[in-house]
């Protein structure tokens, strides 16, 4: 049977794999939001005159590593695949990469504050700044890329592309 479409027929398993990239991105964003929430709770639970607790150090390190890993995977694997399939999104991808750079700078500031045992109030200010930029970034990224991700053919492991969360 001949069809007028130039696209090959999609096998059911292939279609679910294509759609999985948008679900994977949303799921990673939700896990990062949760990691930030847990980190902020650890800061709020701290005594203002006490240095950072071991739990807080672990939460901050884990959150910073997870967010950084997510953005590195996007920059090195996901965004090049999107750019190849959708060159019209070059400006959007550049903007998202600029956000990644800004967030990395903010994460460095948080890590330094944790290392020097900053007060919970100072740590919360760092986390508030990261939360604002991160949420704005995630929402923009989802508005701009989810539809594209639904049809993206990228043969890679989600943890390599979207981070190890």
């Amino acid at each position: 049977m001949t069809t007028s479409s130039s696209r090959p027929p999609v096998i059911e398993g292939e279609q679910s794999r294509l759609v999985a990239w948008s679900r994977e991105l949303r799921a990673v964003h939700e896990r990062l939001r949760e990691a930030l929430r847990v980190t902020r709770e650890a800061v709020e639970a701290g005594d203002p005159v006490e240095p950072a607790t071991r739990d807080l150090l672990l939460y901050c390190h884990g959150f910073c590593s997870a967010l950084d890993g997510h953005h590195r995977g996007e920059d090195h694997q996901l965004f090049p695949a999107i750019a190849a399939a959708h060159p019209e999104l070059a400006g959007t991808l550049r903007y998202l990469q600029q956000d990644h750079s800004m967030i990395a700078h903010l994460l460095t500031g948080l890590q330094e504050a944790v290392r020097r045992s900053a007060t919970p109030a100072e740590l919360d200010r760092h986390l508030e700044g990261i939360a604002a930029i991160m949420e704005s970034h995630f929402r923009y990224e989802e508005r701009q890329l989810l539809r594209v991700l639904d049809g993206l053919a990228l043969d890679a492991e989600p943890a390599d592309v979207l981070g190890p969360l």
Side-chain angles (χ1 to χ4, degrees), residues 136-149:
S136 171
H137 172 79
F138 285 174
R139 287 178 185 212
Y140 178 77
E141 187 173 64
E142 289 173 4
R143 278 193 317 271
Q144 298 300 313
L145 300 183
L146 286 182
R147 191 169 296 145
V148 169
L149 290 175

Side-chain angles (χ1 to χ4, degrees), residues 101-136:
S101 179
M102 183 186 332
I103 291 170
H105 176 74
L106 294 173
L107 290 174
T108 299
L110 172 63
Q111 290 170 320
E112 178 55 35
V114 170
R115 272 193 290 278
R116 63 179 167 72
S117 299
T119 66
E122 183 182 343
L123 293 172
D124 190 56
R125 283 193 303 274
H126 282 279
L127 290 168
E128 182 65 31
I130 291 167
I133 299 297
M134 185 182 90
E135 190 58 38
S136 171

Side-chain angles (χ1 to χ4, degrees), residues 28 32 61-77 100 107 158-165:
V28 167
L32 287 165
H61 177 72
F63 169 70
C64 291
S65 295
L67 187 55
D68 183 61
H70 171 63
H71 289 160
R72 285 179 191 267
E74 285 182 335
D75 289 346
H76 297 293
Q77 292 198 40
H100 290 175
L107 290 174
D160 294 336
V161 175
L162 298 174
L165 264 178

Side-chain angles (χ1 to χ4, degrees), residues 4 6 13 17-18 21 29 32 42 46 56 60-62 78 87 92 97 106 124 130 134 137 143 151-153 155 160:
S4 61
S6 62
R17 183 66 196 132
L18 292 175
W21 285 111
H29 285 176
L32 287 165
L56 176 58
C60 284
H61 177 72
L78 184 63
T92 298
Q97 288 173 317
L106 294 173
D124 190 56
I130 291 167
M134 185 182 90
H137 172 79
R143 278 193 317 271
L152 185 67
D155 186 22
D160 294 336

